[in-house]
Amino acid sequence: MHFTLSPELTEYAANLREWGSTVARGYARQADTEHALPPDTDKILDSAPVPLGREEFPRDALPDVPDGPGPRAVIWFESIAYSDMWLMESLNRGVGHFVVKAIGTPEQVERWWDPVIAKGGKTGFGMSEPGAGSDTSRIATTATRDGDTWVIKGSKMFCSLGAVADYIVVFARISKDGGKSAIKAFVVERGHPGLTVVKANENKLGLRCWMTSQLAFDDCVIPVGNMLGWSGDDTDLTTTGGLNAGLSGLNDNRPNVSSQSIGVARASLELTTALLREQRQSFAPHRWSVIEDELVRMAWTLDRARQLNLRAQWMNDRAMNNRAEASIAKGFGPLNADRVIRRCMQLLGPEGTTTDLLLEKWYRDIKILDIFEGTGQVMRLLISRHLMGRDAAGS
Amino acid sequence: MHFTLSPELTEYAANLREWGSTVARGYARQADTEHALPPDTDKILDSAPVPLGREEFPRDALPDVPDGPGPRAVIWFESIAYSDMWLMESLNRGVGHFVVKAIGTPEQVERWWDPVIAKGGKTGFGMSEPGAGSDTSRIATTATRDGDTWVIKGSKMFCSLGAVADYIVVFARISKDGGKSAIKAFVVERGHPGLTVVKANENKLGLRCWMTSQLAFDDCVIPVGNMLGWSGDDTDLTTTGGLNAGLSGLNDNRPNVSSQSIGVARASLELTTALLREQRQSFAPHRWSVIEDELVRMAWTLDRARQLNLRAQWMNDRAMNNRAEASIAKGFGPLNADRVIRRCMQLLGPEGTTTDLLLEKWYRDIKILDIFEGTGQVMRLLISRHLMGRDAAGS
Amino acid sequence: MTFDLTLSEEQDAVRDLARILADDAVSPAAPEAEAARGVADALWRTLLSTGLTAPVAPEHGGGGVPDGTSRLLAVEGLGFGDAAIAASAFWSGNAALLIGSCGTAEQRDAMLPAFVTDTELRAAVALYEGFGRAPSEYRTTIQAEGDRWRVRGRKTGVPLTAGGGPLIVVGTDPSAGDRLRAAVIPADDGQGEGGQGGVTVTASSPHLGLDAAPMSTVDLDVTVGERHLLGGPDADDAALAHEVSMARLTTAALAIGCAQRACEYASGYATERTAFGRPISVFQGVAFLMADARMRIDAARLQVWQAAAGLETTEAAGTERAVSHAVAYATSIASEVTRDCVQVLGGHGFLADHPVERWYRATASLTALDFDPTCLAFTPAL
Amino acid sequence: MTFDLTLSEEQDAVRDLARILADDAVSPAAPEAEAARGVADALWRTLLSTGLTAPVAPEHGGGGVPDGTSRLLAVEGLGFGDAAIAASAFWSGNAALLIGSCGTAEQRDAMLPAFVTDTELRAAVALYEGFGRAPSEYRTTIQAEGDRWRVRGRKTGVPLTAGGGPLIVVGTDPSAGDRLRAAVIPADDGQGEGGQGGVTVTASSPHLGLDAAPMSTVDLDVTVGERHLLGGPDADDAALAHEVSMARLTTAALAIGCAQRACEYASGYATERTAFGRPISVFQGVAFLMADARMRIDAARLQVWQAAAGLETTEAAGTERAVSHAVAYATSIASEVTRDCVQVLGGHGFLADHPVERWYRATASLTALDFDPTCLAFTPAL
């Protein structure tokens, strides 16, 4: 059993963090204030001394390290978020095309996946609605068949990249019955008639440069072939990949979300440690020694989360069933991470929460990580079902 | 607003704790080992320099302090438990007669309450069953009417004082329908035919001198007048005070249960503080100063619980609705108390958990306090219903 | 005296008034005040006119100075409306209380009437220094130098005195056994009276969630005449310690008011929001978060009240630690409570459409203002 | 090397064997061992015969010494059966590991064969001193005095060596930069070899839940000849530090095994016990306790494994702290987990009819054995 990373991955991550915390982090405040990525994002990204993994640039591929893609992802997500979450968002092409890849027909993949990989477009993901969060069965947006078309009607919120994406994968219900299995995924391209951007970017607590849009589908007519997985035969409708299939590809991302929280908390802890050390003489000796203990305790807390993340991804690389372990990783990391940042601000005192430092931003950014892709409560539900069967935690 | 206690109550409590921690505490180990009160309990109690509140001795009445009976109870329960929980049990006459007082007819009160107060008997309380804990609606013991008698059939566990009580108030179901309202309280006197003591005292984690019996009612025939609240008219049956009425008198006890947990944790903290101070030179200076902080943090934790207990009882004295506050008190105290004792043992090191000290006993004794008279989970359920209505936390 | 939570008629009235103000005036103004980074003059006048925020005795034209309990009820009550607006108003008002309790007759006459007549006046007490320091540990010194008094040190989290009201600095006097002293820094003379030194006020960047209560860092090395020494050379330092403790407890009461509001809001949301066919309040994973919140809030409130009551009865040294503990606990649990309230709202909690996110921010700033890490330790959530 | 949790075939086999032993032999023996305050000879022989508990190299008649991971898997596995029985066996076996890794050839030849041939042998390593001390801080000293070595100090939580096996004392040498040393105290001579001092073994009263693993306090002021110095005067102190760390991690792995068992037991109970018409596992207030338990157990296990792996790769100074942190976390969460498991069983959890109460007790003792309060701080539950 080993708990070290390869020298290659260690060096890659060190270089990434070095550049990320000096160069990229310099744009963090601006991204927050302007609720948008920096205008010269591409130039900033090009200045990175290591590849960042942008699919459209073959030479930007992440290094092929002996650790495997899973642990590499853990370290990559942690290091990117360590720089600042805006960097994460700048590399976020969206997830719509992953859904296409997961449940689309070969023709659909060719049409909507390949170009994104080749040319680097962005894709949107429309699932949440004002009345439907964790309970996806409550999706109320409808798709009604009309000859060779589907007519989409409804509202979406939290639609990531909704206002700028080349297309949006939107989930809608094709019948009132059938629960989740009646919810299917449809591709709606940008500017398509009937699709209105109600709000390009929602006003959020944090992660403000992450564009989440509110969209209205007002009798939006799309070709029948835009239903993902539809092979031209309507008798397939019940088996056509829908909500669950569309989401399954996202489950693997849970340890990565946790890694992001650990990256942000680690940045906070390192910054705080450096600032406190400069001010050491200002602390009473007893208090200083307490603080040194606290910093170590926080570092161990983050490290425990990191190991859980690595485990989940290491298992994934081996095609081991890691559903419980992925949930554990996501349930554990974010909950500890915001607590670490809060404690860092407390230790720094009144100046710790001003906009002169990034901790206040990170404390805002990080909160969503215990919510999206499954709240901490949903993670506990999944873990307890793993322990106690499918009826567990139903109430 | 005031947070002090009267000099009278303060002095009473100090005297009680002084005697309790020197004299009474000396019997703690014995009570644990022998799963019974000391044989000379009455003599020990008589040696107390302050009244202990035994009803059967008029001169033993608790002092009439300006704080009122509620805060007096908080301090009394805390101080008795501070001595050791065996002292609590030695003063425990049971709760059966309280149920008689709460829902009995005047004749029943005269027959089963008055003598206990006058002469100091003990009374049992038979509610829990192997299959019915927090969910009292699951009580399966039945009472079947047969002419002028009731025939009781079933098993009880956790029946406090069951094997020695003058009588037991046993809860049984008079019909299969009607849910909780079909559960009534009956008086079964000691040695009554059909009542078998299966196990006089259950083998428990702690509080071992607290006699809890397992009883079997095997076609146990009792007079019809032994149903509490029955005034001779069968048409009253549905309104005759049953389970809920019988329990309502016990709700007031919740802050007292919390106070017991605080008393035990306080004893642990004080003992630990004294022992650690003797060994101060054995600690590295930094560790010692950390420990001093810890001791203070624990004391504040207990004090917060104490204030919540006082508040709930202070409200009760004024006939204010304190259901939420009583639940808060009970939800808060015991959960913190066992944590304090555990930490004390950790600070004391390997010797902290041996039977040479009482901490290990106290750590065992205290666990039941977050369980009986409503678990911490039930308290949270009640509090959340107070916040969010009757459907909260339940479904 | 015995344990007694009875409110006097006056206290009851204060609580009711504060709640009405919170609902009608403070809460609705929160978004605008945040955007404007300050409390609008009209609202400021409203708050001042109630006499709640900057109480002044009748002989100086005010409506009277309420007792400490009333003060805490008022602070929590307005904090329930909005922590930042309430902070701004009460932190200014703390200066009036300090002058009223600790000033000489001349000082009271000179400074107090303006708190009533000048409806735009913003005053400040410079307390905090960071580093977990309690007042007796403040490194800002105020000590005699010839016939003048030299004030030296650095204060952070000082309310901005944009309105021109007095700035009172609290420090210790190393020549007098580190006793607590307070000096009024003349507001009209940024270079120090007589040019002997300087006062540099550096406006801080906004504090997370407290945009409407702008603060500054103040660097001082200035000498002032004896008439600027609050209460004079022989001032009652126990009275000063008392008022300083009450000022510190203001922060705790603000946090409690904010957490209480968040708990009520999230509880209400949970009863209305449905998922899986039922209101989410039926799920114990949600409901118990709110039950824990309620327990913590109640415990914190009692501890703060108890600390305030202790100021009347206990030795100063003990009360200072008690205040540090009360502030650390109240503000920390307020942060955790508001965090859990955002969680109850899920994705909606992350949107500015609901005010919970503001409370999440504001309590974080409140808990960093005056935090002593020896009072409450970090432990992992799991 | 990269992050890799793959178990070798041998490790897999060890884990499987330990689990079988736990289920078939250890768990059923727990009540009896507790009552008897010791492990019955027959069970002791069974455990020894597997080679899991006191591994000895083939050249000394044993079946070979497994790697550290195997050791931890074995400890956790038997701890899953019963913490006290497993503690008794592994703490004795730690002596064999210490001799095997750090002894001179003569010492190995003299002492190791008995671990194989004497099926009643109970040995002990005297490590703990309380007071949060890590090994480098041990105040028990082992230093040269003329041509002999003087061992002075007090050890607590020392397994009883009733079976007459060697007692190994670990201490620091102030004459050699506080380097770690270990000495074998001759078992047959309570007055110290040559009468120059004494060894007083005071049997401790039972430790909460660890009745079957009796311990003692040992007061030492004794001189021993060089042949009793483990590894001789120039022993490899890094190797010694390594084995001492592994011995400390034994306690953490025991706690994890016990917590894992409790979590599985309580989870099973919750699916069978009904209340309000449904299994209590449907209530998130119950289910989430178990989910949290599972998360903590997994985190603690990885930290312990990581600390063990770090012994192979990292500087000794860093690993000592890492071990202290791993032990503090693993044993503390084990206590909390077993506490919550009792809670899930409610009143039934308080009865000895269910084994959960034993686990509640045992983990409390494990967490007090080797606890450094700087590694994990007290915070209120609410």
Side-chain angles (χ1 to χ4, degrees), chain A residues 281-293:
Chain A
Q281 298 308 319
S282 298
F283 287 95
H286 166 49
R287 232 172 244 128
W288 177 254
S289 79
V290 165
I291 286 172
E292 285 193 312
D293 288 343

Side-chain angles (χ1 to χ4, degrees), chain D:
Chain D
M1 282 188 305
T2 62
F3 182 92
D4 192 355
L5 300 177
T6 309
L7 298 185
S8 67
E9 277 185 33
E10 186 199 3
Q11 289 164 345
D12 244 348
V14 163
R15 183 164 69 171
D16 293 347
L17 174 59
R19 181 57 70 96
I20 291 167
L21 271 173
D23 291 344
D24 294 353
V26 177
S27 183
E32 186 195 318
E34 175 166 310
R37 294 193 178 165
V39 182
D41 287 341
L43 175 58
W44 190 264
R45 277 194 296 274
T46 303
L47 296 176
L48 264 194
S49 70
T50 63
L52 284 185
T53 59
V56 170
E59 61 262 38
H60 297 104
V65 179
D67 65 330
T69 298
S70 297
R71 178 82 176 161
L72 292 175
L73 292 169
V75 173
E76 184 185 330
L78 293 199
F80 184 90
D82 183 64
I85 293 172
S88 200
F90 285 104
W91 287 343
S92 176
N94 280 338
L97 288 172
L98 227 68
I99 295 165
S101 297
C102 307
T104 61
E106 292 75 18
Q107 289 165 337
R108 296 201 300 270
D109 291 344
M111 290 185 282
L112 286 178
F115 281 91
V116 182
T117 57
D118 178 357
T119 54
E120 307 206 343
L121 180 137
R122 261 92 163 165
V125 183
L127 288 174
Y128 306 132
E129 300 183 356
F131 312 109
R133 290 180 202 154
S136 66
E137 299 171 298
Y138 286 163
R139 294 196 190 172
T140 296
T141 54
I142 301 177
Q143 58 185 322
E145 205 169 84
D147 61 350
R148 297 178 61 79
W149 292 81
R150 186 166 184 182
V151 183
R152 278 210 297 188
R154 164 176 264 236
K155 291 290 186 180
T156 57
V158 182
L160 261 187
T161 59
L167 168 66
I168 302 174
V169 174
V170 177
T172 53
D173 185 347
S175 332
D178 289 327
R179 59 157 288 175
L180 222 50
R181 290 199 185 278
V184 185
I185 307 299
D188 55 348
D189 183 357
Q191 294 309 303
E193 201 190 50
Q196 298 171 12
V199 179
T200 310
V201 177
T202 311
S204 303
S205 302
H207 286 256
L208 188 55
L210 295 183
D211 308 60
M215 287 177 255
S216 60
T217 295
V218 180
D219 288 289
L220 302 123
D221 188 355
V222 63
T223 67
V224 298
E226 192 172 297
R227 69 193 174 89
H228 290 296
L229 196 66
L230 200 68
D234 302 320
D236 178 354
D237 61 341
L240 179 58
H242 182 134
E243 287 302 334
V244 165
S245 286
M246 283 302 298
R248 296 174 68 206
L249 290 173
T250 302
T251 301
L254 287 167
I256 292 169
C258 191
Q260 172 79 28
R261 176 78 178 282
C263 179
E264 291 183 15
Y265 190 95
S267 295
Y269 180 90
T271 59
E272 287 160 17
R273 173 81 177 178
T274 58
F276 308 105
R278 285 169 294 175
I280 62 173
S281 58
V282 305
F283 297 104
Q284 294 183 347
V286 168
F288 285 15
L289 286 180
M290 293 298 93
D292 283 351
R294 170 72 199 269
M295 286 195 266
R296 288 170 157 155
I297 290 168
D298 281 16
R301 185 184 292 113
L302 287 173
Q303 188 175 2
V304 167
W305 285 350
Q306 183 188 19
L311 298 176
E312 316 287 343
T313 56
T314 324
E315 298 282 313
T319 58
E320 183 176 279
R321 284 301 287 162
V323 169
S324 293
H325 276 277
V327 170
Y329 182 74
T331 61
S332 294
I333 65 100
S335 286
E336 292 192 31
V337 163
T338 54
R339 193 260 183 225
D340 288 344
C341 290
V342 172
Q343 193 70 16
V344 165
L345 270 73
H348 290 274
F350 198 63
L351 295 182
D353 305 21
H354 292 275
V356 187
E357 61 89 22
R358 183 186 303 118
W359 303 326
Y360 172 80
R361 291 184 278 125
T363 51
S365 279
L366 291 173
T367 196
L369 269 183
D370 186 21
F371 183 78
D372 181 346
T374 67
C375 293
L376 212 60
F378 173 83
T379 38
L382 284 173

